[in-house]
Amino acid sequence: MNKVELLAPAGDLDKLKYAIIYGADAVYIGGQTFGLRAAAKNFSIEQMKEGIEFAHSYGRRVFLTLNIIPHNEDIKDLEMYIEEIKDLGLDAVILSDPGTFMFVKQHAPELEIHLSTQANNTNYMSANFWHEQGVKRVILARELSFDEISEIRLKTPPTLEIEAFIHGAMCISYSGRCLLSNYLNNRDANRGACSQPCRWEYQLVEVNRPGEYIPIEETDKGTFFFNSKDLCMIEHIPELINSGLNSLKIEGRMKTVYYVANIVRAYREAIDAYYRDPEGYQYNPEWFDEIRKASHREFTKGFYQNKPTDKDQLYTSSSYIREYDFIGVVKSYDPETKMATVEQRNHFSVGDKIEIIGPNYYSADQTIEQIINDKGESVEKAPHAQQVIKIPVASEVKPYYILRKPKEGLHD
């Protein structure tokens, strides 16, 4: 049985490493142009080289996004950019624009090409067309059901790979083709600069009463009527695999290291559990509990089972639910002293109850009994960002393990 690929977002080099360590089969990254996520840190050419070398050392793959919808002024830089990236060892480039596709085919024919979800591929005829042009993989539009995906798989050749999003933010517009941001504040979503106006609160103005703002209220907090819930398909691993998908994609190049690691580890465990015993596979509710420990909105199944309804929108707030704080990462561990060297990411103190997570679904709870700063002094708190400290940890931990703690009062 060919195993489905778990594809993770990597907004920078650090996130790429955590995604790989925590179980992603492949990552997708963006350069500093053409990548549709201008707000992410993204990768310089040197960082791409390092990231590709790191991923390949683990036998994993790296895909580069080239999926903006370019204007004339963007094209002048394309030739130089393709020359810079074509020999880096990338495993594929992701694009949506036919002109960009033609250019890559002419100037870097050795690069594998994946068709972005921005191309709005919703049927098998379109998928076959692009495959005949030389596309190796089609990333399907989000607006497809399990039945539609299965039919696309049935009516396309096995040489064409198909990929779909299974987790992360949903766009109010058709597979990301949004113009709200352009219209409201002149930031082009289709060139990577979306200001996410779908998450804003709106009020109604009647044309004959200018300046009189009428709230559109589901509750006394107002209504965010463009604001979708987040996609989460952790409960449907067998259906995703059996629909014929070759790759399961997590959204989130602008998310934190902790988010990427935690979401990847949950899906990795669920996918591996299915392949260990497809007939006896049982969904484990702990996987969903783990996913909820990363920043999220309420969840939806998107279009997989039926078309979304009013139940798939968030009307009260655009804020994320954050039940846990990401407080540090392990840099090293001394088994003789049982002391872990930790780089702090958020404030924590002696007496805090924390959880430590790692790859292969490792998890352990403990209380912080001591904090030693870089001067060897015992202190009560670790308040400084990226402060390097030491704490006692009874069980052996390794670099890239993550420390988190519940929000105060959450589990009292």
Side-chain angles (χ1 to χ4, degrees):
M1 186 185 297
N2 291 327
K3 202 168 186 179
V4 73
E5 175 186 87
L6 179 60
L7 177 57
D12 59 31
L13 185 58
D14 208 23
K15 295 169 190 174
L16 178 149
K17 292 178 178 180
Y18 275 85
I20 296 297
I21 291 290
Y22 277 75
D25 298 303
V27 295
Y28 60 103
I29 68 174
Q32 294 175 343
T33 53
F34 300 104
L36 210 57
R37 285 295 182 274
K41 290 183 180 179
N42 294 319
F43 286 70
S44 67
I45 297 298
E46 289 305 313
Q47 289 169 333
M48 283 188 208
K49 290 179 182 177
E50 183 178 345
I52 292 166
E53 182 177 341
F54 183 89
H56 287 178
S57 72
Y58 282 82
R60 315 297 169 77
R61 302 205 291 166
V62 179
F63 310 145
L64 177 68
T65 55
L66 294 173
N67 57 337
I68 70 165
I69 300 172
H71 291 235
N72 290 337
E73 65 192 59
D74 300 310
I75 294 172
K76 68 181 186 298
D77 297 321
L78 184 60
E79 183 172 4
M80 181 176 68
Y81 189 59
I82 296 300
E83 283 297 316
E84 286 182 315
I85 61 98
K86 70 178 185 179
D87 295 321
L88 294 179
L90 289 161
D91 296 284
V93 292
I94 303 168
L95 51 80
S96 59
D97 173 64
T100 305
F101 169 80
M102 180 179 66
F103 192 91
V104 171
K105 289 288 289 181
Q106 291 173 347
H107 293 269
E110 69 281 4
L111 284 176
E112 183 174 305
I113 296 176
H114 296 179
L115 188 72
S116 171
T117 191
Q118 292 289 113
N120 308 131
N121 201 115
T122 57
N123 64 78
Y124 60 85
M125 289 194 301
S126 176
N128 283 325
F129 166 81
W130 282 108
H131 189 41
E132 288 175 8
Q133 308 313 306
V135 166
K136 173 68 173 177
R137 177 184 295 186
V138 167
I139 306 166
L140 299 175
R142 287 176 173 87
E143 295 77 16
L144 292 175
S145 66
F146 279 125
D147 288 343
E148 290 174 301
I149 293 169
S150 295
E151 186 174 5
I152 289 172
R153 178 70 288 168
L154 182 66
K155 295 181 178 179
T156 54
T159 50
L160 175 66
E161 297 175 0
I162 56 175
E163 172 184 311
F165 283 94
I166 60 161
H167 193 93
M170 295 284 284
C171 186
I172 191 64
S173 188
Y174 200 84
S175 283
R177 290 286 191 111
C178 188
L179 297 176
L180 276 175
S181 182
N182 305 56
Y183 183 78
L184 292 176
N185 60 1
N186 200 32
R187 285 175 53 179
D188 194 337
N190 300 310
R191 295 162 83 186
C194 184
S195 58
Q196 292 195 311
C198 54
R199 307 296 178 187
W200 300 352
E201 181 179 7
Y202 291 88
Q203 293 187 324
L204 181 68
V205 177
E206 199 274 319
V207 67
N208 293 316
R209 288 181 282 179
E212 185 176 337
Y213 297 96
I214 306 165
I216 309 169
E217 294 183 343
E218 290 284 329
T219 72
D220 57 3
K221 295 180 181 178
T223 295
F224 298 76
F225 56 80
F226 291 134
N227 188 34
S228 176
K229 295 180 180 180
D230 282 356
L231 180 64
C232 178
M233 296 299 290
I234 192 72
E235 298 176 50
H236 299 280
I237 296 301
E239 296 98 314
L240 290 165
I241 293 172
N242 293 324
S243 69
L245 289 167
N246 300 98
S247 180
L248 309 182
K249 187 172 191 173
I250 298 167
E251 182 274 340
R253 276 192 284 145
M254 293 190 290
K255 302 291 190 180
T256 66
V257 159
Y258 168 58
Y259 177 94
V260 172
N262 200 48
I263 301 303
V264 167
R265 72 192 284 268
Y267 277 97
R268 176 79 279 152
E269 174 66 14
I271 292 167
D272 289 350
Y274 176 79
Y275 281 103
R276 282 194 297 268
D277 185 7
E279 296 299 322
Y281 172 84
Q282 290 187 324
Y283 167 70
N284 185 347
E286 289 182 6
W287 300 330
F288 183 67
D289 292 340
E290 275 299 306
I291 281 174
R292 287 177 54 84
K293 291 181 180 181
S295 174
H296 64 280
R297 300 181 182 94
E298 293 179 35
F299 291 118
T300 174
K301 309 296 183 187
F303 290 77
Y304 278 101
Q305 295 175 314
N306 46 254
K307 290 184 179 179
T309 68
D310 60 317
K311 304 298 183 185
D312 297 281
Q313 297 295 107
L314 283 173
Y315 299 105
T316 57
S317 173
S318 61
S319 299
Y320 286 95
I321 301 167
R322 292 181 173 91
E323 297 181 345
Y324 280 73
D325 286 328
F326 166 36
I327 62 170
V329 295
V330 174
K331 308 301 287 185
S332 64
Y333 182 75
D334 185 340
E336 292 187 6
T337 62
K338 296 188 180 298
M339 296 293 286
T341 300
V342 172
E343 182 183 273
Q344 187 259 36
R345 295 300 177 93
N346 277 295
H347 176 279
F348 61 91
S349 305
V350 171
D352 283 346
K353 294 180 180 179
I354 67 167
E355 298 176 10
I356 304 174
I357 65 169
N360 304 317
Y361 224 61
Y362 173 91
S363 184
D365 300 346
Q366 75 163 63
T367 299
I368 296 179
E369 298 173 350
Q370 185 182 24
I371 299 174
I372 299 174
N373 67 17
D374 57 358
K375 297 177 183 178
E377 302 166 334
S378 186
V379 295
E380 289 297 310
K381 299 179 180 180
H384 307 301
Q386 295 189 299
Q387 179 181 8
V388 177
I389 53 90
K390 292 184 178 181
I391 62 171
V393 178
S395 53
E396 183 176 0
V397 291
K398 299 176 182 179
Y400 296 99
Y401 280 29
I402 286 173
L403 281 63
R404 67 189 179 197
K405 70 171 184 176
K407 289 280 191 182
E408 290 186 11
L410 184 65
H411 301 298
D412 292 349

